[in-house]
Every structure is written in C-alpha cells, then in structure tokens.
C-alpha cells in the first residue's frame, strides 16, 4: 500500500469513499441507551477489576524478587 502523502487527491478520495461505504453499514444506536449499558457493565465488573481492588502480592508478576543492600 502507498503512504497517504504519496497518493493523488483522486486516490485519497476513493480511499475515503471506500471507508465511508463500509461505515454506513454499521448499526447505529442511541448514546443515551448504550451509555447506560456501558455504565452498568463497568459497575457490575468493578469487583473483579485489578485497577480498582489491587493485585494480591502472591499474584503480582512485577513484585520485586529480592532486595538490594548497600553497605
């Protein structure tokens, strides 16, 4: 594939038109409906979210294996 800066205006417009033809087929839904569904899903999964509840030390792959002492 060519890089966008190497394409003629006609090629760029054709590429944009092809993309729009794909996007127009996507089913659309109201944000007022989907936003509520997303919020409910996030809240239902919050108990399992390691960013909210943390990671147990024994399951943490990034835990330091050993210390370093300077004398």
């Amino acid at each position: 594939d060519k890089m966008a800066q190497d394409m003629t205006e006609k090629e760029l417009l054709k590429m944009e038109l092809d993309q729009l033809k794909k996007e127009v087929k996507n089913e659309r839904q109201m944000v007022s409906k989907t936003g509520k569904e997303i919020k409910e899903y996030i809240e239902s999964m919050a108990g399992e979210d390691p960013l909210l509840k943390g990671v147990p030390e024994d399951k943490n792959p990034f835990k330091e294996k050993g210390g370093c002492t300077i004398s």
Side-chain angles (χ1 to χ4, degrees):
D1 282 340
K2 287 182 168 183
M3 297 295 289
Q5 63 265 26
D6 297 331
M7 299 173 76
T8 66
E9 185 176 355
K10 182 179 177 183
E11 290 172 320
L12 288 169
L13 290 171
K14 182 184 180 327
M15 188 171 80
E16 183 177 355
L17 180 63
D18 291 342
Q19 181 62 34
L20 290 172
K21 284 179 181 178
K22 292 175 189 174
E23 290 178 17
V24 79
K25 297 175 188 173
N26 290 344
E27 181 183 344
R28 307 262 195 254
Q29 293 187 5
M30 300 290 291
V31 172
S32 58
K33 178 179 182 286
T34 57
K36 183 177 179 237
E37 291 172 354
I38 291 169
K39 181 178 181 253
E40 289 169 356
Y41 173 78
I42 290 171
E43 289 173 347
S44 74
M45 301 302 287
E48 301 170 30
D49 190 331
L51 294 175
L52 295 175
K53 70 174 199 168
V55 178
E57 281 299 313
D58 59 331
K59 304 270 190 219
N60 185 353
F62 301 105
K63 181 177 75 172
E64 286 193 36
K65 304 294 184 220
C68 172
T69 54
I70 299 174
S71 55

